[in-house]
Amino acid sequence: MPGIAMRVVAVSAALLLAFGNVAVAEAQTTKKKSTTTTRTALARQRAAQRARVTAAQRAEREAMTAHFKRDQLGNLVPDVNAAAAIVYNPQTGEVIWEENSHDQRSIASLTKLMTVATFMADDPDLTARVTVTSADTRGANVTFLRAGENITYRDLLHLVLIASDNAAARVLARTSEGGSAAFIGRMNEMAAHLGLTSTSYADPSGLDARNVSSAYDLSQLIAFVSSDDRISSIMRKTDYTARTSRRTVTVHNTNKLLGTDVDVRGGKTGFITKAGYCLATLLQVPQGGTVSVVVLGASNSPTRFWAARHLFAWVLGRAQGLVGSDDELLNR
């Protein structure tokens, strides 16, 4: 019997060793698979990132190239990759060039041009301080503010126009006479006073896709808003440091035309999925005067800025007699 017991113990030990070896092997296999899976996932992420960078570089190169086409009269005109666009002379009221400029479209944060114009119409004390609430920041998407801190109206204006801060726009509306609903009503009244027949507002930030306008209306609005130096001087700043009751925040302008060879007198960007990438800007003409350039519904961010540059260069070239022959332009 002792011999049998010894054999049973030996077999059990062998089985345990075997099972242990299997378990170790399985663990090693699992670890190896996990390592391989992680390595594969990282490789795929790197490949995807390279693909995105390549696509962005290709889009940038394409946006940098000016394109031209024939209009119905056979004239050579810019061919802009956007849903709608316009070049407008606010001094004469002349539409220099347009494409779908009266189409009503969602306008995203170009809404903030009217938000600021409506706010400044009350001649507010810009040194007054107000407190940010959780409702202001909830779902704001882009904001540098936090609930509970207080900030001056001057800093709020800079956050709205430079960083396109949605919570800051909400604070301006909420703390104005009558609150947000009354403020939005005054935004629409201001649009009516300006004769912007394609324009309507549902919120002060532009997050609501029901905020609509047209390139034509916006070409007039950007000229009107920029005529107030309290507003245009902010839009021309490339960056700004705002100070709340708790901290300082440095923001950078979303308008990438600033700091280039184009003299920007005012401008605002916008984007939500419904609107696409948008830009409304007022540019200084070297010979005197300004032109409004509006691009709506571009497919990516670089396109809106390069489209504005191409349109402006074309207008200047025609005015100076520097535009090449039709064949030269078409073959660029």
Side-chain angles (χ1 to χ4, degrees):
M1 293 296 291
I4 295 176
M6 290 294 292
R7 286 198 296 272
V8 169
V9 170
V11 170
S12 298
L15 289 173
L16 287 173
L17 179 61
F19 285 135
N21 290 338
V22 169
V24 169
E26 288 180 347
Q28 291 174 340
T29 300
T30 301
K31 182 178 180 180
K32 186 179 296 183
K33 287 182 178 179
S34 177
T35 301
T36 302
T37 300
T38 301
R39 188 183 301 115
T40 300
L42 290 174
R44 288 174 179 172
Q45 290 175 5
R46 289 193 294 268
Q49 179 61 23
R50 288 197 301 272
R52 287 191 292 268
V53 169
T54 299
Q57 291 172 340
R58 184 172 60 250
E60 179 81 16
R61 288 193 298 271
E62 175 64 18
M64 290 171 63
T65 304
H67 297 277
F68 300 88
K69 63 182 179 180
R70 301 282 184 183
D71 65 13
Q72 293 179 344
L73 299 177
N75 300 313
L76 197 64
V77 296
D79 187 8
V80 175
N81 185 20
I86 192 171
V87 183
Y88 173 79
N89 185 333
Q91 290 79 220
T92 64
E94 175 192 5
V95 175
I96 302 172
W97 177 91
E98 67 85 27
E99 188 165 271
N100 304 324
S101 67
H102 289 281
D103 288 1
Q104 190 180 65
R105 295 183 50 81
S106 183
I107 57 170
S109 283
L110 299 191
T111 294
K112 293 183 176 78
L113 292 170
M114 184 61 83
T115 301
V116 171
T118 302
F119 179 78
M120 295 301 287
D122 290 342
D123 195 23
D125 176 5
L126 298 184
T127 65
R129 303 185 73 89
V130 289
T131 300
V132 180
T133 69
S134 58
D136 297 324
T137 60
R138 187 179 303 120
N141 191 14
V142 175
T143 185
F144 294 85
L145 297 174
R146 297 173 184 170
E149 57 190 7
N150 63 68
I151 187 171
T152 66
Y153 279 129
R154 177 173 286 107
D155 281 343
L156 285 173
L157 288 173
H158 282 78
L159 290 177
V160 168
L161 291 172
I162 293 176
S164 204
D165 192 304
N166 295 314
R170 290 173 176 173
V171 175
L172 292 182
R174 177 180 58 80
T175 59
S176 294
E177 182 181 357
S180 297
F183 185 87
I184 294 166
R186 292 196 295 276
M187 290 173 65
N188 285 303
E189 289 175 3
M190 180 73 78
H193 294 326
L194 287 169
L196 309 183
T197 57
S198 297
T199 301
S200 179
Y201 300 101
D203 96 301
S205 71
L207 287 174
D208 194 321
R210 293 175 297 170
N211 291 354
V212 294
S213 188
S214 65
Y216 179 78
D217 280 6
L218 289 165
S219 69
Q220 298 178 65
L221 179 59
I222 186 62
F224 173 76
V225 172
S226 298
S227 67
D228 186 335
D229 191 59
R230 297 174 300 174
I231 301 174
S232 60
S233 62
I234 296 175
M235 291 191 288
R236 292 194 295 270
K237 294 179 180 179
T238 57
D239 51 60
Y240 181 77
T241 298
R243 292 171 174 80
T244 75
S245 56
R246 299 174 180 172
R247 59 206 168 89
T248 59
V249 178
T250 299
V251 296
H252 304 281
N253 206 309
T254 58
N255 185 357
K256 302 308 179 184
L257 290 182
L258 289 168
T260 69
D261 58 338
V262 179
D263 187 355
V264 178
R265 309 314 299 162
K268 184 72 191 72
T269 63
F271 171 78
I272 57 173
T273 301
K274 180 72 172 179
Y277 290 89
C278 304
L279 172 69
T281 189
L282 187 73
L283 304 177
Q284 181 70 48
V285 176
Q287 292 75 20
T290 57
V291 292
S292 300
V293 181
V294 178
V295 177
L296 302 180
S299 59
N300 56 65
S301 185
T303 293
R304 57 182 164 180
F305 299 117
W306 280 105
R309 289 176 64 91
H310 295 328
L311 288 171
F312 187 57
W314 178 78
V315 169
L316 293 184
R318 288 179 65 87
Q320 298 169 9
L322 299 178
V323 172
S325 69
D326 287 1
D327 288 340
E328 288 174 342
L329 291 175
L330 285 172
N331 291 326
R332 283 186 180 179

